[in-house]
Amino acid sequence: VHMMMQLLIRSEKDGILCPIPQYPLYSASIALHGGTLVPYYLDEATGWGLEVSELKKQLQEAKSNGITVRALVVINPGNPTGQVLAEENQKAIVEFCKEEGLVLLADEVYQENVYVPEKKFHSFKKVARSMGYGEKDIHLVSFQSVSKGYYGECGKRGGYMEVTGFGADVREHIYKLASVNLCSNITGQILASLVMSPPKVGDKSYESYIAERDGILSSLARRAKTLEDAFNKLEGITCNKAEGAMYLFPRINLPKKAIKAAEEVKTAPDLFYCRRLLNETGIVFVPGSGFGQVPGTWHFRCTILPQEEKIPAIVTRLTDFHKRFMDEFRD
């Protein structure tokens, strides 16, 4: 991602369209390389949908402010929002990028993590090719990582990107940027090669690999559903369906007294809630203000990563805390 931002951003007049809520890697890398983040809001009411009309609106507003938008970031499945894009929606996004001459930066690191039968992951490259668009028609970069998905090797860092639609001269610059890192990440590269070429039918490890993979993914799906249901039972909290990735991003309608108490200690209301939760229960949520959210709304991000046998105790602690909190600050 840093390499692509270095490649795309020339000055603060260059903008990158990013989803809000967004994974802070994007806002940080855009700022680091001196560009401008052009936000587009995901629609919570439609399960964190990505509306092309919103992209067009934000693109025009950026242009009117003298910003040259160079690329569109799409995170699918979503982080922190956990939605999975429909194929028709993806086609509309590809068409938008082609029409506007934008590089499509497809963050697809959670592609294995889809938990609902009515949704399926489709790579943006596959979607673009199904529309008849080849190398010369659209600039597309696909990101993948070994630290996500069912591998879950979060202590190891390795990843890869596929760069399509760029000429040999641009590719040469990308290789130069990569070569600046003199110390190769050996274990990360080994893991990346394993992710790219998993055990195949007939291999000795195939059966155990499939059993472990399916066991992890089905457990994550159960955890996601349990937490989703728990949030929707809590007073003042609504949570969209957990479709994919490793997160839920519930919305919390905080009482006015809680908002006032947060203001008195110069803290964002969602951070105020999350700190109280941490101190009283040991449960860590990340406040939505860390990812961006529609002004006047409050959220938090919750992972589905604790061991499955610990989830019921987490739900109990959360439920008890939330009741105490709402009783204390009830308007």
Side-chain angles (χ1 to χ4, degrees):
V1 170
H2 279 299
M3 276 189 227
M4 292 314 302
M5 294 308 172
Q6 275 183 282
L7 195 73
L8 290 164
I9 294 169
R10 300 163 296 188
S11 74
E12 71 279 357
K13 291 294 183 183
D14 282 338
I16 309 291
L17 273 161
C18 284
I20 300 294
Q22 57 101 26
Y23 179 49
L25 164 65
Y26 292 96
S27 52
S29 58
I30 291 166
L32 180 66
H33 297 294
T36 297
L37 186 146
V38 180
Y40 66 88
Y41 286 98
L42 300 174
D43 185 3
E44 186 171 7
T46 60
W48 301 110
L50 198 170
E51 306 294 337
V52 172
S53 57
E54 168 72 1
L55 295 178
K56 289 179 177 175
K57 175 186 154 194
Q58 298 300 344
L59 178 67
Q60 291 309 315
E61 189 171 323
K63 283 181 178 176
S64 68
N65 292 326
I67 302 295
T68 301
V69 177
R70 306 267 283 163
L72 166 68
V73 172
V74 180
I75 306 175
N76 179 48
N79 179 4
T81 42
Q83 85 285 11
V84 179
L85 294 180
E87 190 174 8
E88 287 306 310
N89 193 190
Q90 290 182 264
K91 287 179 179 177
I93 293 163
V94 168
E95 198 62 51
F96 168 77
C97 288
K98 185 176 184 301
E99 286 175 7
E100 300 295 343
L102 302 180
V103 176
L104 175 51
L105 301 175
D107 182 334
E108 299 176 333
V109 302
Y110 293 106
Q111 59 187 264
E112 306 285 357
N113 300 72
V114 179
Y115 307 127
V116 289
E118 67 271 21
K119 288 288 183 78
K120 189 181 175 192
F121 170 78
H122 300 281
S123 73
F124 270 101
K125 183 183 178 185
K126 185 180 86 170
V127 170
R129 297 298 181 263
S130 76
M131 296 168 71
Y133 295 143
E135 279 278 337
K136 295 180 180 177
D137 300 307
I138 186 165
H139 305 300
L140 170 63
V141 183
S142 309
F143 299 105
Q144 174 61 308
S145 165
V146 306
S147 62
K148 312 299 179 188
Y150 52 85
Y151 302 92
E153 304 294 348
C154 290
K156 300 287 185 184
R157 290 308 193 194
Y160 59 93
M161 61 179 174
E162 185 181 26
V163 179
T164 55
F166 291 82
D169 54 339
V170 178
R171 285 173 176 274
E172 190 61 35
H173 279 293
I174 295 171
Y175 287 126
K176 282 179 186 175
L177 284 173
S179 300
V180 170
N181 296 317
L182 295 177
C183 299
S184 56
N185 172 14
I186 298 296
T187 53
Q189 289 182 11
I190 292 168
L191 281 166
S193 70
L194 292 171
V195 169
M196 294 167 79
S197 183
K200 298 172 181 62
V201 176
D203 291 350
K204 285 183 179 179
S205 58
Y206 178 76
E207 298 297 337
S208 59
Y209 163 74
I210 291 298
E212 187 173 345
R213 181 197 70 179
D214 292 351
I216 291 169
L217 289 176
S218 59
S219 173
L220 286 169
R222 290 192 297 271
R223 288 179 246 176
K225 186 72 171 74
T226 299
L227 287 165
E228 174 198 322
D229 290 346
F231 283 129
N232 283 317
K233 288 175 184 172
L234 297 180
E235 178 187 357
I237 291 184
T238 54
C239 183
N240 277 327
K241 204 167 192 176
E243 293 181 342
M246 294 178 176
Y247 314 103
L248 296 162
F249 200 64
R251 179 171 176 173
I252 178 167
N253 293 302
L254 290 163
K256 289 176 186 172
K257 278 171 69 176
I259 294 171
K260 188 169 185 295
E263 289 169 350
E264 286 172 359
V265 292
K266 295 182 171 54
T267 300
D270 50 2
L271 176 57
F272 179 77
Y273 179 91
C274 290
R275 273 193 183 151
R276 287 281 296 262
L277 176 71
L278 174 61
N279 289 333
E280 293 185 32
T281 70
I283 297 170
V284 180
F285 287 166
V286 183
S289 44
F291 301 95
Q293 54 199 337
V294 172
T297 67
W298 308 107
H299 300 78
F300 51 81
R301 189 185 79 166
C302 162
T303 75
I304 61 170
L305 293 176
Q307 292 96 323
E308 189 171 359
E309 65 271 15
K310 292 184 178 179
I311 297 291
I314 291 170
V315 169
T316 300
R317 280 197 221 174
L318 171 65
T319 302
D320 293 345
F321 163 81
H322 187 75
K323 186 178 185 308
R324 290 196 306 273
F325 184 92
M326 295 302 280
D327 287 344
E328 180 182 345
F329 293 105
R330 198 174 300 285
D331 294 327

